[in-house]
Amino acid sequence: MADNNKGTRINEQIRVREVRLIDDEGNQKGIVPTLEALKMAKERELDLVEVAPTANPPVCKILDFGKYRFEQEKKLRDSKKNQKVLKLKEIRMQPKIGSGDLDTKAKHVQEFLDAGDKVKVTIRFRGRELAHTELGYDVLKEVTNRLTSAYVIEKPAAMEGKFMSMTLSAKAKS
């Protein structure tokens, strides 16, 4: 049972001499010997659950452990449901990209932004292309010109070795 309850000690697993006890109605019973607290829990056909193990003495509650664990898992599920995981998508291209290809790449950037993701647009320079980094700036500017919805440039175009990149994100809906 110890591996099932994820570190929460219950009943006989609590090995301290005394605990601060809260009964099944939520009333403070004060500091009580652990054996007496266990006896009170058994009389009510409930479990003694350690809710604050780091306190001195540890805080224990008398409650139905199965119900308690279900409530904790429900809270965890609900909190995960409300989280928005931000993804960083990357679109790569070269400075000598054709107009049709640029349209397609810009459309993909637009789709990612509409989905609420961040997009890193990267231009890869090879060989002599590194001497003409202004072409990369022009391509990145053209990508932003072709976007239809509102966006924010989080990181403007900058060189990183043989790559030039900028990061875009969707403008927050107000």
Side-chain angles (χ1 to χ4, degrees):
M1 184 101 180
D3 57 299
N4 256 359
N5 53 30
K6 304 203 177 35
T8 306
R9 293 188 291 203
I10 60 168
N11 298 333
E12 286 77 23
Q13 294 173 349
I14 301 170
R15 300 217 179 273
V16 290
R17 193 174 337 148
E18 51 190 21
V19 295
R20 185 174 304 275
L21 184 66
I22 301 170
D23 68 4
D24 52 333
E25 282 122 37
N27 301 324
Q28 294 265 353
K29 292 292 183 184
I31 296 172
V32 178
T34 306
L35 292 174
E36 190 178 317
L38 263 169
K39 197 165 69 176
M40 290 169 68
K42 295 279 186 224
E43 286 170 3
R44 296 181 171 128
E45 296 179 358
L46 295 171
D47 300 304
L48 184 66
V49 180
E50 193 175 46
V51 290
T54 56
N56 192 12
V59 179
C60 293
K61 267 186 177 179
I62 295 176
L63 45 81
D64 180 0
F65 183 66
K67 188 174 179 182
Y68 172 75
R69 196 169 66 192
F70 174 76
E71 293 293 329
Q72 296 292 74
E73 288 172 1
K74 190 174 175 185
K75 279 184 195 171
L76 188 65
R77 276 194 309 270
D78 288 345
S79 70
K80 281 183 180 177
K81 204 180 291 181
N82 295 333
Q83 286 179 347
K84 171 82 172 96
V85 178
L86 270 178
K87 291 183 187 153
L88 179 66
K89 303 285 190 168
E90 184 174 22
I91 299 285
R92 288 186 169 187
M93 52 187 94
Q94 291 183 334
K96 53 186 183 194
I97 187 170
S99 179
D101 293 336
L102 191 60
D103 281 338
T104 304
K105 297 283 189 177
K107 191 171 76 182
H108 287 303
V109 170
Q110 187 65 59
E111 288 169 4
F112 292 146
L113 289 174
D114 291 342
D117 297 325
K118 288 185 181 180
V119 183
K120 182 177 183 180
V121 183
T122 305
I123 309 250
R124 182 180 67 204
F125 294 96
R126 296 190 315 199
R128 293 184 193 156
E129 292 173 350
L130 273 167
H132 302 285
T133 55
E134 71 278 354
L135 295 175
Y137 283 110
D138 294 342
V139 171
L140 291 176
K141 197 174 290 178
E142 187 58 36
V143 168
T144 57
N145 289 342
R146 294 181 187 208
L147 295 178
T148 56
S149 69
Y151 61 90
V152 177
I153 298 177
E154 284 195 359
K155 185 177 151 283
M159 286 297 292
E160 299 166 1
K162 293 184 176 183
F163 298 93
M164 177 183 291
S165 64
M166 72 174 173
T167 306
L168 305 170
S169 66
K171 193 169 271 188
K173 297 172 180 85
S174 33

